[in-house]
Amino acid sequence: MIPLKLLPYPDYFANAEDYTTSLLHFVSSSERFETVCGGVHILDFLTQESDLYRNVLPRDWREWISGHEIDDLLDLLLRENLDQFTPSRKELNIVGDDGTLGERVYQPFSWRGNPPLPDTLLEYVVIVRRHTLIRDFTKSNGEKAQPVARRVSVGMNEKKVHEVEKFAAFLSELSLEIEAEGKGRITHFVDFGSGQNYLGRALASPPYDKQVVAIESQQSNIEGAKRMDINANLAERLRILRNKKAYRNGVSSENVDRETTEVGSCLDGHCNQTKTGIETDLDDKPIFRQDTKLSVRNQERRKILPNSKIHYVEHAIEDGDLADVLDHISTEQLQPHASDHLSQASGASQTESSRLSCMVISLHSCGNLVHHGLRSLVRTPAVNAVAMVGCCYNLLTECLGPTTFKLPELRRPNERLERTSMACDPHGFPMSERLATYAHQRGHQQPGIRLNITARSMAVQAPQNWTATSCESFFKRHFYRALLQRVLLERGVLPQTQTEPESAHLAGGSSRAGHALIVGSLRKSCYGSFVAYVRGAIAKLAGDATYGGPVKQYMMEMTDEEIQSYETRFASRKKDLSAIWSLMAFSAGVTESLIVVDRWQFLREQECVQRAWVQTVFESSISPRNFVVVGLKY
């Protein structure tokens, strides 16, 4: 079960420690990486007095990009075999008139019949690829995955079905191997942020038949999940038949004739029914509740079966201590099941087999939830294993304080970012002591690896899955949003800020970027043209509590011709913006690798954790966030 590599690093490195050391050195010493991955934001692109594109990228890079399409750049960054460029210069023998060999001269490689590739660009691409974890799904765990039954897959799209099938098989195999090694039976799978509980429902259903504790903070998600449990045959639907005459007349339940007919459902194969004039109790309590004032919609009630495998807990997770959450699990639920043949075969005692032993799991838990789950392995005695797949790195908090990589002339007042970056949340990034105390190789007085919000947001991109159609769509959207920022500044909606001269010269100019304003998604029709985009943005922003007044005052009177003139002026910059965005997304693979390595390193540093590793569990073309971090306490 444990892969040969504890991290899915490239073969260039001898082992995981070698890779980690090199990764930390690169991210802490490369000025170009910090600039491309966190140093610039798309909103800054068209708001500079000087050309940000020229200030960020070297001249030879810009000249090479100008001779290629963006698709060619993406091929080079993500797909091209770089071995063809080694060495990066080819040797030519010049033959003289007398037939003898003359001097040996070297000529740069051309690529696709266009200008030769700059050595510094090639070197950067090689280094970024070298430090990006491999996300190819080659493990045989997925081959043992059982298709999710139709009644269990209700509500899932194709991507979710793939994730649930693969991850459920992985978790089942992991728990069986733990048990086969004589480490005890995993009695419960604790799902962090269960949502609609797709994963838990699959684990609780055949062929896995696992006990699941689903922790979710939203009551609406829990109620929706319970309704889907009925379709999956994991809960029974309870129907109540009432005295219709009394119900329609609005008679209270106290006045209803005792001869109301109740129809029971079969529990454990024994039908319990009441006949007219006869009362039937189960454990001295009525099976059904009489309430003639319930709405028709609420007449169908869900009844948890006595042997229900799913236990819902409404709880907002704030740390790794799950003692209070797990207290509700009764001793009856811990008794060994008939399917636990491995425990019986290994001679485990009744006490050992009925002891609470949990595996904390998550399928794309956002932000700090993964951190809380990993810490539960240390803080909660009943948790003996963790297997967590993270996502939404932009929602991570920051542990070490100020985290700006932004070029000095792009830094502007932002109360929210200043507040979050100064929060020093102990639950945030980085988790591990190694990253938190790492001594930088260049230009930082404070120790520790930091990632700003831009770098973490870019880490959720999946450029390896981009297609020509999708690229054209979101490049256009980014261009429209950057251009709208320029319009808002020039029209006076956003205040303009000037950077101090001593810092502005570092990147060649002062900033007019102003403050951030969240536009969000607009209707699909708004992306047909820049005029339509601006009109849609104005309609949405007019209701903004802060900027609604200025938007109405300065933007409503703009004509279509005025709006179109902006697109005409800056149309040539769209390719430059697309190139920067491509480099940002490509470089962000290292950022995700850094976050994953930090979580793995945290587990390695804990004395109680005996084994820890990272591997892929999904096809990256279907689910790009496919790294699972595994830790075992045994």
Side-chain angles (χ1 to χ4, degrees), residues 494-507:
L494 298 177
Q496 298 183 8
T497 59
Q498 292 292 335
T499 311
E500 295 298 327
E502 58 267 26
S503 62
H505 76 278
L506 294 179

Side-chain angles (χ1 to χ4, degrees), residues 410-598:
L410 302 182
R411 299 171 192 169
R412 53 187 180 269
N414 188 311
E415 294 182 2
R416 180 182 66 84
L417 294 184
E418 290 177 0
R419 182 173 61 254
T420 56
S421 67
M422 294 295 292
C424 297
D425 184 359
H427 303 292
F429 174 89
M431 296 183 68
S432 66
E433 186 70 14
R434 182 173 185 178
L435 269 70
T437 59
Y438 187 80
H440 283 260
Q441 306 297 313
R442 179 192 58 82
H444 291 279
Q445 297 179 353
Q446 297 293 330
I449 300 295
R450 293 167 170 80
L451 293 173
N452 67 3
I453 181 65
T454 303
R456 288 185 278 110
S457 297
M458 291 302 300
V460 300
Q461 294 292 321
Q464 68 276 5
N465 292 345
W466 292 354
T467 64
T469 302
S470 63
C471 284
E472 175 60 27
S473 176
F474 59 71
F475 284 154
K476 177 195 292 187
R477 295 184 179 213
H478 295 324
F479 175 65
Y480 283 175
R481 180 61 186 93
L483 190 53
L484 175 64
Q485 189 78 357
R486 178 83 183 204
V487 175
L488 294 172
L489 284 167
E490 292 192 351
R491 301 290 294 189
V493 176
L494 298 177
Q496 298 183 8
T497 59
Q498 292 292 335
T499 311
E500 295 298 327
E502 58 267 26
S503 62
H505 76 278
L506 294 179
S510 60
S511 170
R512 307 173 63 244
H515 297 259
L517 189 154
I518 299 176
V519 176
S521 298
L522 301 175
R523 298 188 309 273
K524 186 176 181 180
S525 59
C526 293
Y527 297 97
S529 67
F530 184 61
V531 173
Y533 179 83
V534 172
R535 295 302 182 197
I538 291 175
K540 185 173 183 178
L541 296 175
D544 185 84
T546 303
Y547 295 103
V551 167
K552 294 176 183 178
Q553 181 179 357
Y554 300 115
M555 299 287 288
M556 288 294 190
E557 301 300 323
M558 286 190 71
T559 64
D560 290 352
E561 290 73 17
E562 288 178 300
I563 297 173
Q564 184 61 44
S565 67
Y566 278 93
E567 185 174 14
T568 302
R569 284 168 53 195
F570 294 98
S572 61
R573 306 289 303 279
K574 181 181 177 182
K575 180 179 180 180
D576 299 343
L577 183 148
S578 301
I580 286 286
W581 182 263
S582 299
L583 285 167
M584 291 168 63
F586 166 66
S587 303
V590 175
T591 303
E592 180 180 21
S593 300
L594 188 66
I595 294 172
V596 172
V597 167
D598 174 57

Side-chain angles (χ1 to χ4, degrees), residues 187-191 194 197 204 210-216 222 226 229 302 304-314 325 328-330 333-334 337:
T187 62
H188 290 75
F189 291 79
V190 182
D191 191 357
S194 59
N197 198 32
K210 305 296 185 182
Q211 294 282 335
V212 176
V213 178
I215 305 176
E216 172 59 37
I222 294 177
K226 288 180 177 180
D229 288 345
R302 176 182 182 277
I304 298 292
L305 297 180
N307 60 345
S308 177
K309 297 183 178 65
I310 302 179
H311 318 282
Y312 291 95
V313 179
E314 184 178 357
V325 175
H328 78 286
I329 300 179
S330 65
Q333 295 168 354
L334 300 179
H337 300 279

Side-chain angles (χ1 to χ4, degrees), residues 151-152 154 201 223-239 300-305 310 312:
R151 65 177 184 274
V152 177
V154 172
R201 194 170 299 112
E223 291 303 320
K226 288 180 177 180
R227 288 192 293 269
M228 284 189 280
D229 288 345
I230 298 173
N231 294 329
N233 294 338
L234 295 173
E236 284 195 351
R237 192 191 309 274
L238 185 61
R239 299 181 181 276
E300 294 183 351
R301 293 291 180 181
R302 176 182 182 277
K303 184 175 182 61
I304 298 292
L305 297 180
I310 302 179
Y312 291 95

Side-chain angles (χ1 to χ4, degrees), residues 242-251:
R242 297 182 177 84
N243 185 319
K244 292 184 179 180
K245 182 181 293 185
Y247 180 78
R248 290 169 180 168
N249 293 334
V251 180

Side-chain angles (χ1 to χ4, degrees), residues 371 374-378 431-433 596-607 609 612:
H371 290 187
L374 298 179
R375 286 191 170 97
S376 70
L377 188 62
V378 180
M431 296 183 68
S432 66
E433 186 70 14
V596 172
V597 167
D598 174 57
R599 295 168 175 178
W600 170 75
Q601 184 67 38
F602 168 80
L603 292 176
R604 293 184 67 201
E605 294 172 354
Q606 310 309 311
E607 293 184 1
V609 178

